[in-house]
């Protein structure tokens, strides 16, 4: 019964998402949702390596940027058709991430975090200094996504559906991954690399796979970003972007399936709502982040899951108590 | 011979934790390794299971050279192990722990995961069956859905057994399986080990609990300062002067 | 000296200790027996202030221990050698032992004397004094842990399964050391699986079952109790 | 929804009623702004927006302006974008959707590029405060460049310095695109007049903690003149580092750095004797400068910089153009009247010599100054 | 030759600042087991406090420095009490995010309090002097001397006193520290205080050779991360040596390799070192 209730809820959400542009013809709201969709995909990417596999990567702003810049450069400089460039951009990023992963994954825990932070910073500096990428000026003139059959991508509504499509695809992908043997293997590595290794799991190979998947998702997100914003600057590879992605993930709930979507939505909307504070919004935003982490260290979805588990346990204990009451009485009589 | 060890040496800095040890471990038997603290027993296990690489010497498993193989590879060839301090996936249920134990015998990858192929479904079922079987073997079926960190020491030891068994090993290395377990339950663990041998596994254990070792082991290796000082049946060992002096002590409660 | 009344301790939703009553008189060596998971370590953690009780009374030398921090409790003279050892893995053995004297750190002379005493109790450690504690074998680490607890000059020493992972020779030796320490006036509360050896050196014992102290008695009484022999001595 | 209207003074966050009062028959027209109001570039953002605000307040106080029989008052709606292009685009959408702004001020090139993607489609004008030449090469008809083009500076700079100090030049500009573009403009001129470049470096003001190492390297080549530029204060410090390390030649200062702001860091102009750069707005001899400087000082408690002045000017011109176009809503029509708007502006509102609008960019007269004997001296106009 | 020595001197100056900041970071790492991103913000606020008391109260530079050290030490302790002590030390990610939240807050706070413009701290030691043909400002010499003195004092404290040893012990086993009677609360407060104090001292020493502005901490903190990784997390000598290695690499790299790619040096160095030694240079080989 519970299952169906959940399914109904999800269906309702889906229908709402599909109807939104028709019911609410506000471009600003659409813009926000489009950005939420794009970011969420990157957050799912980070969730794969950090949430599932337990390796905190701070290089993901870099992969996001590589995906975006690859698309930009392939379409502008090489003149490759849009969708071919789109696929190539993701392929290029995964190849790059493969080589970075081979080296970076030899380091563990915070070493890995800072190592990837440095890699991210190097990617940023390369984009920033290189002539090819347009340096500080950035990359201008990325074309609209080419029409696919009768579908064209000019209006903001069409962009909305395009991003929604890729988001749903990503969620489906993550859902399958979460419930697969491979997903369970990733989680085992997160729990203990040492033990996983004694159990004959090739830790390096699995971590590398998770890393490449996660970079691939980040680059998908980057390529979508490039096709939507159509201007790229080096600041998109900045470490702050990596922090931001991480923040979305943590607010939502790391290692959970729904966390990335919920976290990204909440944080993006919250930052927009705090706009009225102008230059002082960080003065409020910072403490909100701290409070959230203090009270929900596992994020919103993680907090909910814990609450549910606790409630289930309480129920069990209560049930057990009613049955053991009798025994207790006996013990006293003894 | 299931396992043949030839002049194995491991040095940490200047210290020889294992020094020129040669020994064999027979198939379908229980071999116990005993010796004082710091004698190099755990290091010995670590070398066999590929956790450490030996400084010199050679290890063969059923004739195959595994001397410098990495742990994961050794496990796939059929060596399962437990650690001295119990080591489980703490943040997972008992069942999920054991389920992952069989992962090394499966092949499903990313493609299978996403498209939920037949292979994925079959292998998942296989892992589950294997896990349930292993849990039943150690008598923990009822705890399958508990979190691994919330069960007792002795139960955790059993989960560790199940985990090792789920890998389908030929040889099981158990590092002090009964440490911190009370006598009553120690017997229970002994039974499990005997059962393993009955099922065709070869068991090799490190233990300081002499009553258990003496009644259980077919064969005993004694290490001291990294060197093999004695090698024989429990009876031989109990009488061995060097072992008594270095390890057992005069009035040890060997048969208590 | 130590009095526990109706102590209840829980981990999350579940009560681990359910109404424990226990007393230890000055100079005694009391053994705590109990199956795995019966709550021995939890009791010890509560005494050291690492876990807060849900309800009940604890007092040491007539003063309540409620609300006292772990460091204050150590200063009061209750020192624990914990299961799992909790050593400073990257510090040398020597420094680990020195840290044991933290509560009287300014008294260098006393510190040195105590250090000598510990090294005579565990001569194996002398050769390892400059090695990081984490690189020692399991049994050697156990010695460091006991040594470190002794460095604090406890009035009441809590030993949680000190024989865990020790070679028979050392176990024997350790029990005689415990007895010796006790003779020198340190009160000891000892949790053990090795019931026979533990009871042999003790004055009294308790048996903890499922979070309750069900049986209490002198060494002789417990050694003769059939059920206990069967469950904890195994012969 | 966003705060609207004139947030005045740095650091005052109390929310005064900011939408201007309107009496019967009057209407409010919203003008948008998105820029860095927090983060590392916040000071710059504040400088740009305060110019726009001051102009709007003055116009409102003077009773607003009349277009097609209706009197309008201006309301400035601001959003923070932290210098990020996509945030700027989001803000622009929001401004247009929720506040109906026909014009959005964007003070950074990234934000302009990201907004240019849809501004023609969504029908609003970008008032771009950036000297980035590319923004006008996109064929975007609704983009207005506010600041002066920098190609007028190199020649007088080079002439003055080669005459005074010599022909050996060390390059130490800021490591931004603007710095690079400037350098590319300058170097050919320097060489054309017979000079040589002896050291080619750049300084990343966002990342360097200490300027001594790079300045040491530059001085090792014995230059006569050093080309510097970037944010005023660290640029000043860079020049001081050169003096500390024994440099006695002259400086050419990119227009991004302002002498008046260096004063605050150095206390006086002794260390930058022999520098040539842009005339500070406070030394402007344009008819409207004095009153602008005075009211800026009284409101913000410090001297205005070019960023404030140029944006202030732009706001005034915009209103003139709206009047001439007889619409407050049609950006195309307003854009078409920009040049006429400049010419229609009354003299006493000119804070600098603005001559017209050419190719969608404001045409300012170059004003160059140098430090001679510790004083700012006007070199050329 | 002169150029070389001049650059070595420059490298020593920056290296000193890096080392002081990295030292505080590495100490706090021992408690949190996570790099504290807010540490750079403490550095920045430290500079503002010193600047403010110097200009507003007109106190001498040294008094300003001492006040800044005290205030930041307190602020750092406050951070520990209000936030970090309430988070589960076994779970690194929430701690990291909390520290990022604090970073956002402090930067924004500084902008609110002191504005976002660049400010200059005037030093009484602004004179330049010539030694052995090298040009140095007094302030730069002071940075080097004061930093070395501070580091030596800290070294003595950590190795020669039990309280110092307690800081190290805490970082290795919190429960172990409890069991020997270390007041863990006090030790972690002390550690945060020292780390904050060091950051404020470094900032006040370095401020006169650069400027004071809200994001000034970002410059230093990224490099401090690199340093403590190179030096091995939690390693005190590692932090000091790492700081000087980086300072030297930057000033000499700018001269002999490439001025343009000087910023890359730190990160390339890190990537190279970790590629060869995944646990850092000074990591102790213990499981
Ligand atoms: N990683 C290591 N680095 C340095 N020395 C080590 C390391 N591992 C073990 N040793 C040393 O090697 C020796 C053997 O250790 P090992 O753990 O094998 O002993 P053990 O026989 O298992 O002892 P126990 O019965 O106490 O567990 C010890 O002296 C120990 O200090
Ligand atoms: N942190 C914890 N969270 C939840 N449950 C716990 C925790 N620690 C202990 N328990 C549970 O409390 C009970 C008592 O554990 P405790 O460690 O005190 O037993 P013990 O008598 O010391 O056992 P052993 O002989 O194995 O050391 C066990 O059921 C255990 O699973
Ligand atoms: Mg061992
Ligand atoms: Mg216990």
């Amino acid at each position: 019964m519970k299952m169906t209730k959940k399914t109904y809820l999800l269906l309702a959400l889906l229908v709402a998402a599909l109807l939104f542009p028709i019911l609410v013809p506000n471009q600003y709201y659409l813009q926000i949702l489009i950005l939420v969709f794009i970011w969420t995909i990157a957050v799912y990417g980070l969730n794969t390596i950090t949430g599932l596999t337990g390796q905190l990567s701070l290089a993901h702003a870099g992969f996001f940027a590589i995906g975006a810049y690859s698309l930009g450069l392939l379409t502008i400089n090489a003149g490759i058709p849009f969708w071919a460039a789109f696929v190539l951009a993701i392929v290029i990023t995964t190849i790059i991430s493969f080589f970075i992963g081979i080296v970076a994954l030899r380091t563990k825990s915070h070493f890995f975090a800072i190592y990837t932070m440095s890699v991210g910073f190097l990617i940023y500096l390369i984009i920033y200094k290189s002539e090819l990428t347009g340096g500080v000026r950035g990359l201008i003139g990325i074309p609209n996504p080419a029409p696919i059959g009768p579908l064209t991508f000019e209006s903001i509504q069409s962009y909305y559906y395009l991003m929604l499509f890729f988001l749903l695809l990503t969620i489906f992908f993550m859902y399958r991954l979460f419930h697969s043997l491979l997903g369970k293997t990733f989680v085992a590595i997160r729990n203990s690399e040492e033990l996983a290794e004694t159990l004959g799991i090739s830790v390096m190979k699995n971590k590398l796979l998770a890393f490449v998947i996660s970079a691939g998702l980040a680059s998908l997100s980057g390529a979508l970003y490039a096709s939507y914003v159509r201007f790229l600057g080096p600041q998109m590879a900045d470490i702050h972007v990596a922090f931001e992605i991480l923040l979305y993930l943590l607010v939502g709930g790391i290692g959970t399936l729904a966390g990335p979507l919920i976290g990204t939505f909440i944080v993006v909307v919250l930052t927009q709502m705090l706009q009225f504070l102008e230059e002082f919004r960080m003065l409020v935003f910072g403490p909100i982040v701290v409070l959230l982490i203090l009270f929900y260290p596992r994020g919103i979805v993680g907090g909910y899951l814990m609450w549910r588990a606790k409630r289930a346990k309480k129920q069990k204990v209560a049930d057990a108590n009613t049955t053991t009451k009798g025994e207790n009485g006996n013990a006293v009589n003894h | 011979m299931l396992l043949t060890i030839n002049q194995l040496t491991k040095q940490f800095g200047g210290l020889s934790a294992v020094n020129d040890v040669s020994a064999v471990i027979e198939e379908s038997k229980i071999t116990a390794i005993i010796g004082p603290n710091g004698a190099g027993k755990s290091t010995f296990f670590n070398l066999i299971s590929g956790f450490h690489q030996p400084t010199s010497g050679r290890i063969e498993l059923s004739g195959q050279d595994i001397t410098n193989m990495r742990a994961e590879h050794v496990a796939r060839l059929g060596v399962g192990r437990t650690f001295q301090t119990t080591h489980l996936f703490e943040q997972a249920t008992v069942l999920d722990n054991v389920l992952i134990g069989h992962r090394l015998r499966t092949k499903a990858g990313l493609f299978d995961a996403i498209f939920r192929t037949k292979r994925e479904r079959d292998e998942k079922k296989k892992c589950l069956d294997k896990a349930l079987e292993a849990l039943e073997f150690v008598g923990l079926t009822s705890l399958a859905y508990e979190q691994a960190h919330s069960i007792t020491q002795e139960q955790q030891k059993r989960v560790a057994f199940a985990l090792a068994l789920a890998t389908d090993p030929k040889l099981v290395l158990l590092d002090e399986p009964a440490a911190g377990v009370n006598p009553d339950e120690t017997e229970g663990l002994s039974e499990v080990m005997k059962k393993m041998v009955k099922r065709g596994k070869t068991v090799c254990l490190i233990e300081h609990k002499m009553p258990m070792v003496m009644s259980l082991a077919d064969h005993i290796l004694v290490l001291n300062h990294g060197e093999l000082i004695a090698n024989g049946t429990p009876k031989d060992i109990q009488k061995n002067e060097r072992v008594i002096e270095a390890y057992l002590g005069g009035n040890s409660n060997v048969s208590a | 000296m130590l009095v526990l009344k109706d102590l209840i301790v829980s981990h999350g939703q579940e009560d681990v200790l359910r109404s424990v009553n226990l007393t230890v008189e000055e100079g005694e060596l009391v053994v705590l027996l109990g199956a795995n998971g019966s709550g021995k370590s939890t009791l010890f953690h509560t005494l050291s202030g690492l876990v807060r009780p849900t309800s009940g009374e604890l007092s040491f030398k007539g003063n309540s221990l409620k609300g006292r921090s772990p460091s204050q409790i150590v200063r009061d003279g209750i020192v624990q050698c914990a299961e799992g050892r909790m050593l400073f893995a990257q510090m040398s053995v020597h420094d680990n032992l020195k840290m044991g004297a933290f509560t009287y750190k300014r008294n260098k002379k006393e510190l040195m004397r105590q250090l000598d005493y510990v090294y005579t109790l565990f001569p194996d450690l002398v050769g390892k004094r400059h090695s990081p504690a984490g690189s020692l074998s399991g049994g050697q680490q156990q010695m460091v842990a006991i040594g470190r607890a002794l460095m604090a000059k406890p009035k009441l020493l809590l030993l949680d399964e000190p024989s865990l992972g020790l070679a028979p020779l050392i176990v024997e030796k350790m029990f005689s050391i415990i007895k010796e320490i006790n003779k020198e006036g340190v009160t000891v509360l000892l949790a053990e699986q090795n019931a026979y050896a533990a009871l042999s050196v003790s004055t009294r014992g308790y048996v903890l079952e499922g979070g309750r102290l069900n049986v209490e008695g002198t060494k002789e009484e417990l050694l003769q109790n059939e059920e206990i022999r069967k469950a904890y001595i195994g012969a | 929804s966003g705060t609207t209207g004139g947030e005045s003074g740095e650091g005052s966050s109390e929310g005064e009623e900011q939408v201007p009062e309107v009496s019967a028959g009057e209407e409010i027209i919203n003008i948008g702004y998105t820029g860095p109001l927090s983060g590392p570039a916040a000071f710059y953002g504040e400088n740009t927006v305060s110019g726009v605000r001051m102009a709007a307040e003055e116009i409102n106080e003077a009773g607003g302006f009349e277009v097609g029989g209706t009197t309008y008052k201006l309301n400035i709606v601001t959003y923070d974008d932290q210098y990020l292009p996509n945030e700027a685009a989001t803000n622009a959408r929001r401004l247009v959707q929720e506040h109906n702004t026909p014009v959005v001020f964007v003070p950074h090139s990234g934000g302009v590029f990201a907004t240019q993607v849809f501004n023609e489609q969504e029908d609003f004008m970008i008032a771009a405060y950036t000297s980035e030449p590319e923004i006008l090469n996109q064929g975007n008809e609704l983009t207005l460049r506010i600041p002066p083009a920098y190609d007028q500076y190199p020649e007088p700079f080079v002439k003055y310095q080669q005459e005074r100090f010599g022909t050996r030049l060390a390059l130490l500009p800021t490591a931004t695109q603007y710095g690079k573009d400037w350098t590319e403009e300058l170097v050919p001129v320097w060489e054309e007049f017979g000079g040589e470049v002896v050291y080619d470096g750049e300084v990343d003001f966002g990342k360097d903690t200490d300027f001594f190492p790079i300045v040491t390297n530059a001085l090792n080549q014995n230059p006569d003149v050093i080309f510097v530029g970037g944010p005023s204060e660290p640029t000043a410090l860079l020049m001081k580092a050169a003096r500390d390390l024994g440099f006695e030649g002259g400086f050419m200062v990119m227009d991004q750095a302002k002498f008046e702001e260096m004063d605050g860091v150095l206390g006086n102009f002794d260390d930058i004797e022999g520098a040539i750069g842009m005339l500070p707005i406070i030394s402007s001899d344009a008819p409207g400068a004095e009153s602008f400087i005075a009211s800026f000082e009284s409101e913000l408690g410090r001297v205005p910089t070019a960023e404030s002045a140029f944006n202030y000017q732009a706001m005034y011109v915009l209103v003139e153009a709206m009047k001439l176009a007889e619409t407050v809503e049609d950006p195309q029509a307003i854009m078409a009247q920009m040049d006429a708007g400049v010419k229609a502006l009354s003299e006493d509102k000119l804070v600098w010599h603005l001559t017209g609008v050419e190719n969608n960019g404001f045409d300012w007269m170059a004003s160059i100054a140098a430090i001679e004997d510790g004083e700012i001296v006007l070199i050329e106009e | 030759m002169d150029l070389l020595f001049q650059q070595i001197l420059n490298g020593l100056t920056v290296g000193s600042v890096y080392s002081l900041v990295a030292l505080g970071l590495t100490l706090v790492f021992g408690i949190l087991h996570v790099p504290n991103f807010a540490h750079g913000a403490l550095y920045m606020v430290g500079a503002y406090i010193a600047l403010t008391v110097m200009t507003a109260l007109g106190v001498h530079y040294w008094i300003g420095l001492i006040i800044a050290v005290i205030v930041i030490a307190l602020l750092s302790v406050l951070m520990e009490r209000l936030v970090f002590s309430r988070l589960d030390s076994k779970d690194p990610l929430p701690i990291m995010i909390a520290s990022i939240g604090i970073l956002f807050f402090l930067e924004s706070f500084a902008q609110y309090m002191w504005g976002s413009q660049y400010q200059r701290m005037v030093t009484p030691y602004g004179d330049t002097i010539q030694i052995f043909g090298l040009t140095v400002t007094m302030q730069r010499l002071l940075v080097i001397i004061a930093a070395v003195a501070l580091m030596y004092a800290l070294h003595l404290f950590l190795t020669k006193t039990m309280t110092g040893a307690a800081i190290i012990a805490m970082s290795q086993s919190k429960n172990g520290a409890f069991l020997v009677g270390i007041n863990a609360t006090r030790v972690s407060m002390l550690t945060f205080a020292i780390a904050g104090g060091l950051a404020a001292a470094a900032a006040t020493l370095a401020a006169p050779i650069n400027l004071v502005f809200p994001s000034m901490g970002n410059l230093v903190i990224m490099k401090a991360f690199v340093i403590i990784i190179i030096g091995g997390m939690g390693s005190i000598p590692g932090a000091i040596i790492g700081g000087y290695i980086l300072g030297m690499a930057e000033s000499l790299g700018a001269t002999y390799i490439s001025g343009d790619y000087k910023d890359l040096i730190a990160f390339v160095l890190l990537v190279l070192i970790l590629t060869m030694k995944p646990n850092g240079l000074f990591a102790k080989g213990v499981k």
Side-chain angles (χ1 to χ4, degrees), chain B residues 150-153 180, chain C residues 11 16 35-42 83 161 193:
Chain B
S150 72
I151 60 178
T152 68
Q153 273 281 319
Chain C
H11 279 301
V16 178
N36 296 116
S38 56
K40 303 181 295 293
S41 301
T42 306
E83 193 180 35
E161 304 202 20
Q193 296 292 352

